[in-house]
Amino acid sequence: MYSHGMSTSERLIESTRELLWERGYVGTSPKAILERAGAGQGSMYHHFKGKPDLALAAIRRTAEELRATAERVLDGPGTPYQRIEAYLLRERDVLRGCPVGRLTMDPDVIASDELRAPVEETLGRIRERIAGIVEEGKRQGQFASSLDGAEIAAAVIATVQGGYVLARASGSPAAFDTAVRGLLTLLAPQHVGPDDHPA
């Protein structure tokens, strides 16, 4: 499953990341982590203080990857609208849900300031980046001056996370796609021609 060149600590982190996504914190037992990592008994405690320490390393890794992926798209080519569109339309494993967003539904993660911090920081950073892009679009006249960058950014994140929930509830990615298309329609730059004005 993992490459032979991967160290035991790396295999433990990767196994924990996958299990947290699939089962949540409570469902991720040390035994399951060791089995998936192909690691011997006690190796977890050789590399980490225990399950919370390993889970923190795994959550940080997942959060960093999600943030890097989002920023790569948001900092890509195109107009502000096109970059937000690219972020909303980027390829996702919709029915598995968001590996970071799902952690917010885990009571053990939310109850721990330390485990919650990478989740909060990542979603906050992505939100800030989107808000900046909206403000850039307003300066270029692409978005209405009445739009609030922070509010639109929160709506974008809420659409993505809510889209995951709708898709998982219906068992179809179509619900996610519908939510995204709806938001993009609302955000689309309006080109009002002379014949479009009300009489």
Side-chain angles (χ1 to χ4, degrees):
M1 184 174 185
Y2 298 111
S3 68
H4 293 298
M6 193 181 282
S7 68
T8 303
S9 63
E10 280 295 306
R11 293 202 314 272
L12 289 167
I13 290 171
E14 289 303 313
S15 299
T16 305
R17 290 177 65 195
E18 291 169 6
L19 288 164
L20 285 171
W21 195 358
E22 293 166 15
R23 307 180 186 180
Y25 185 84
V26 172
T28 300
S29 67
K31 182 181 177 187
I33 294 169
L34 292 170
E35 282 178 0
R36 185 165 296 200
Q41 192 79 332
S43 61
M44 178 190 295
Y45 299 97
H46 175 71
H47 295 283
F48 302 94
K49 294 173 191 169
K51 176 180 162 181
D53 188 37
L54 177 53
L56 179 59
I59 290 170
R60 280 180 176 154
R61 175 83 56 85
T62 297
E64 284 164 9
E65 278 192 8
L66 181 74
R67 188 166 69 236
T69 299
E71 288 175 350
R72 197 161 47 246
V73 176
L74 292 168
D75 293 341
T79 64
Y81 175 83
Q82 287 168 338
R83 280 147 56 205
I84 292 172
E85 179 183 45
Y87 170 74
L88 286 167
L89 295 177
R90 78 171 180 80
E91 192 174 333
R92 293 174 169 89
D93 191 349
V94 174
L95 293 179
R96 281 191 79 189
C98 175
V100 170
R102 285 190 71 183
L103 292 168
T104 64
M105 297 177 225
D106 194 313
D108 291 87
V109 172
I110 294 307
S112 165
D113 289 343
E114 196 173 30
L115 293 177
R116 190 180 72 248
V119 176
E120 182 182 10
E121 182 188 349
T122 291
L123 293 175
R125 286 273 295 276
I126 296 172
R127 209 166 52 235
E128 284 172 15
R129 187 69 196 94
I130 294 170
I133 292 171
V134 173
E135 294 302 326
E136 182 185 333
K138 284 167 61 178
R139 288 193 297 275
Q140 295 175 7
Q142 189 170 29
F143 294 133
S145 59
S146 58
L147 291 184
D148 181 283
E151 289 177 359
I152 297 302
V156 169
I157 297 295
T159 298
V160 170
Q161 295 302 324
Y164 281 123
V165 172
L166 293 173
R168 285 169 63 81
S170 67
S172 169
F176 182 97
D177 297 339
T178 299
V180 164
R181 282 198 307 272
L183 180 59
L184 286 172
T185 300
L186 291 173
L187 286 178
Q190 301 299 310
H191 300 290
V192 180
D195 297 332
D196 296 327
H197 291 289

